[in-house]
């Protein structure tokens, strides 16, 4: 290297390429590093990074960085941006470490995974491309069954799906922050609900009520009251109110977000698997039928709130009036139980909105409805599935982890057996992830954060995990630590990371984290 190459003096600061290193004093500078020696050292560090993996994990740096799952941009923000905690997640996003000792085969990393982690050492995590989808927004919303977008997975579609998944995470967070239905209902709005994308804002909280109640003898004194309450916060309605985002998406999107099972009455409703007609006056054997427990949670009013069904229809009608004349879309997204409730909502909404516009003179068609389902169980019989797709015209995208047993229940019952609603399926596999153990258990396979981790890395069938996937693995370490490969756990320990202490452990195994407030329930 010629002496013409210069760099500002570092005054013994660590190299940005290797924070463990110190600038070597030059003999001609009486102990102070000169520009040439510092530049040479930086280039040597870079050469070592490109040729071979770093010999040891890097210790945590003293400066604090905001905890962030993905960097906020274009009006987006994450809950971690507001928390202001340390820089663990950024460090884990880099994932540049090696196992310290030889591990069993299930914990080993492939050379491709190691190379991927090395490349990330000097890169900041970044979001998937956020290009304009205005010209093809109906295709991204499911028109044509997402043909040509799923395998390989389109980058813009991946980003849209991850955003909707994070909306469900926000519903879990909001539930745990204010689990009392009476308190939330008396406020008229769920004040603690903060969305990870600022281009959307919540317009109404949604509550689901069970027709069952837990008898006093079955209640434990140590259990929190919210665990046995009949009515609970289950989700929300939100609308995109950022004009910039509306232009990028080509329409104004109304999102209906529904979480999974969290309380004992909801678990009890899950077990009511007999098929019942959607309406009491339709009892024909060929009629569309759904699980009795799901329908109960959807149609039962609470003591202080209307039914989930009435709330959703009323709020969507109100928003359609507010934004009358605009191009609208309705996206209903849910995880687990919420995925089944989303199908019920889509079926009813499509019928109600079609009836509202039938006979009108303004020629305004009802907005298209799409359902994004994460780990959803079977909801109804074949007649229900066919009506939803053919008569109602609802687009359904099922995101499925191949190891998730919830997506395979309930089992068929005689000739009126359960079937999955038709539509598109995006199938993920734990074995594709460089940091999840291939033998991860059922809880991990159904966990929403595991779904989003796999979705972020999915490129296509038979393809390696996406090289520029940047979603943090910290939440996986918090909720599914036994399912994360040992090398990542070792790395987290070296960084001083300890999973957040659970605030509440429920009787059904669901754990609510104190930092994020996310209720990681099995169903």
């Amino acid at each position: 290297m010629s002496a013409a190459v210069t760099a500002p003096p570092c005054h013994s600061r660590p190299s940005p390429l290797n924070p463990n290193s110190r600038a070597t004093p030059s003999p001609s500078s009486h102990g102070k590093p000169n520009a040439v020696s510092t530049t040479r050292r930086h280039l040597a560090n870079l050469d070592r990074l490109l040729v071979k993996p770093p010999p040891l994990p890097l210790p945590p740096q003293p400066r604090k960085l905001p905890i962030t799952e993905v960097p906020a941009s274009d009006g987006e923000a994450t809950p971690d941006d507001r928390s202001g905690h340390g820089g663990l997640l950024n460090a884990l996003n880099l994932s540049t470490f090696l196992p310290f000792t030889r591990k069993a085969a299930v914990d080993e990393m492939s050379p491709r995974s190691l190379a991927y982690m090395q490349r990330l050492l000097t890169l900041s995590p970044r979001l998937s491309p956020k290009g304009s989808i205005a010209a093809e927004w109906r295709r991204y919303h499911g028109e044509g069954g997402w043909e040509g977008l799923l395998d390989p997975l389109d980058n813009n579609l991946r980003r849209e799906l991850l955003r909707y998944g994070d909306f469900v995470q926000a519903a879990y967070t909001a539930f745990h922050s204010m689990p009392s239905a009476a308190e939330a209902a008396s406020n008229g709005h769920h004040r603690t609900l903060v969305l990870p994308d600022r281009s959307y804002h919540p317009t109404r909280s949604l509550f689901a009520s069970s027709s069952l109640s837990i008898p006093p003898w079955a209640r434990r004194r140590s259990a929190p009251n919210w665990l046995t309450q009949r009515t609970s916060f289950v989700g929300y309605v939100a609308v995109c109110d950022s004009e910039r985002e509306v232009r990028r998406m080509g329409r104004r999107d109304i999102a209906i977000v529904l979480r999974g099972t969290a309380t004992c009455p909801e678990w009890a409703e899950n077990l009511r698997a007999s098929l019942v007609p959607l309406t009491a006056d339709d009892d024909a054997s060929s009629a569309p039928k759904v699980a009795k427990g799901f329908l109960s949670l959807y149609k039962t009013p609470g003591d202080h709130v209307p039914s989930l069904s009435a709330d959703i229809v009323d709020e969507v009608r109100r928003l359609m009036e507010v934004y009358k004349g605009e191009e609208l879309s309705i996206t209903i997204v849910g995880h687990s139980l919420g995925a089944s409730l989303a199908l019920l909502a889509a079926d009813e909404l499509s019928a109600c909105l079609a009836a509202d516009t039938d006979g009108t003179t303004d020629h305004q068609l009802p907005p298209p409805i799409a359902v994004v389902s994460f780990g959803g169980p079977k909801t109804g019989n074949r007649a229900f599935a066919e009506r939803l797709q053919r008569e109602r015209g609802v687009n359904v995208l099922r995101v499925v982890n191949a190891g998730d047993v919830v997506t395979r229940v309930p089992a068929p019952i005689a000739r009126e057996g359960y079937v999955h609603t038709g539509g598109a399926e995006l199938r993920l596999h734990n074995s594709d992830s460089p940091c999840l153990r291939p033998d991860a258990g059922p809880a991990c396979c159904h966990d929403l954060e595991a779904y989003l981790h796999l979705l972020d890395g999915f490129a296509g069938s038979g393809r390696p995990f996406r090289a520029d996937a940047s979603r943090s693995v910290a939440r996986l370490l918090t909720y599914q630590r036994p399912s994360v490969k040992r090398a990542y756990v070792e790395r987290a320990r070296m960084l001083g990371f300890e999973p957040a202490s659970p605030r509440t452990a429920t009787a059904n195994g669901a754990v609510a984290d104190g930092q994020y407030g996310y209720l990681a329930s099995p169903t």
Side-chain angles (χ1 to χ4, degrees), residues 374-521:
F374 292 96
K378 298 173 184 177
T379 303
N381 64 356
R382 188 173 302 279
F384 172 73
E386 292 179 349
R387 185 178 78 174
L388 190 67
Q389 185 176 16
R390 297 179 182 177
E391 298 181 26
R392 306 298 200 216
V394 175
N395 304 314
V396 179
L397 174 58
R398 297 176 52 248
V399 184
V400 175
N401 187 340
D404 188 356
V405 296
V406 174
T407 62
R408 300 193 288 270
V409 298
I413 302 176
R415 288 180 297 177
E416 294 184 328
Y418 283 87
V419 298
H420 275 301
T421 303
E425 180 183 277
L426 178 58
R427 183 164 288 268
L428 308 172
H429 297 264
N430 274 4
S431 58
D432 293 338
S433 168
C435 61
L436 280 178
R437 295 170 58 97
D439 59 347
C444 177
C445 292
H446 187 60
D447 183 70
L448 179 57
E449 186 58 36
Y451 264 90
L452 300 182
H453 165 74
L454 294 172
L455 179 61
D456 185 44
F458 180 76
S461 298
R463 301 191 179 193
F465 208 71
R466 192 166 64 102
D468 54 351
S470 58
R471 192 175 185 88
S472 171
V473 298
R475 287 193 179 185
L476 288 177
L477 285 167
T478 299
Y479 305 124
Q480 301 297 334
R481 184 165 183 162
S483 299
V484 176
K485 288 182 179 177
R486 195 172 306 160
Y488 282 80
V489 177
E490 299 266 354
R491 173 62 171 168
R493 185 178 296 114
M494 289 293 296
L495 290 170
F497 172 69
E498 290 296 333
S501 300
R503 182 184 298 179
T504 305
T506 67
N508 58 29
V511 177
D513 174 65
Q515 179 179 346
Y516 294 100
Y518 162 62
L519 189 70
S521 64

Side-chain angles (χ1 to χ4, degrees), residues 198-386:
R198 292 176 185 162
S199 61
Y200 283 73
H201 83 274
T203 63
R204 179 174 297 193
S205 294
L206 302 174
F207 300 88
S209 299
S210 171
S211 59
L212 306 174
S213 59
I214 303 299
W217 58 265
R219 299 179 183 179
R220 295 183 178 181
R221 293 183 179 180
S222 58
N225 293 332
W226 60 263
L227 191 60
T228 56
Q229 64 190 12
R230 286 183 55 246
T231 300
S232 299
F233 171 83
V234 73
Y236 57 91
V237 180
V239 64
C240 180
D241 64 351
S242 165
E243 296 306 319
R244 177 182 178 182
E245 186 68 0
V246 169
R247 289 192 299 271
R248 186 193 71 83
M249 295 193 299
R251 87 282 189 191
R252 191 179 300 275
D253 186 45
I254 299 171
I256 302 168
V257 182
L258 300 164
R259 63 161 174 81
T261 309
T263 69
C264 288
E266 291 169 0
W267 269 103
E269 294 284 17
N270 287 343
L271 299 178
R272 302 172 74 187
S274 59
L275 286 167
V276 296
L278 284 166
T279 57
D281 56 350
D282 191 355
D283 198 20
S285 58
S286 60
K289 297 180 181 180
V290 296
K292 184 176 183 178
F294 297 158
L295 187 62
S296 171
L297 288 170
Y298 183 65
K299 287 290 189 180
T300 303
D303 297 332
H304 306 285
V305 294
S307 68
L308 177 61
S309 164
D311 246 355
I312 289 177
V313 173
D314 180 65
E315 181 62 9
V316 170
R317 282 173 168 164
R318 186 188 73 81
L319 291 174
M320 287 184 61
E321 186 64 29
V322 170
Y323 299 107
K324 189 174 183 179
E326 293 190 32
E327 194 86 75
L328 298 175
S329 68
I330 299 173
T331 307
I332 313 176
V333 56
H335 172 238
S336 192
L337 166 65
S340 290
L341 297 178
L343 294 174
L344 297 179
D347 179 75
E348 183 177 29
L349 266 179
S350 59
C352 292
L353 299 184
D356 290 345
T357 56
D358 186 28
T360 58
T361 58
D362 57 5
H363 304 291
Q364 183 178 3
L365 296 176
I369 299 175
V371 173
V372 178
S373 160
F374 292 96
K378 298 173 184 177
T379 303
N381 64 356
R382 188 173 302 279
F384 172 73
E386 292 179 349

Side-chain angles (χ1 to χ4, degrees), residues 96-113:
T96 55
F97 59 90
L98 288 169
F100 303 111
T101 58
R102 185 161 183 84
K103 303 294 191 290
V106 73
D107 281 332
E108 290 183 355
M109 298 183 188
S110 68
R112 186 186 297 273
S113 298

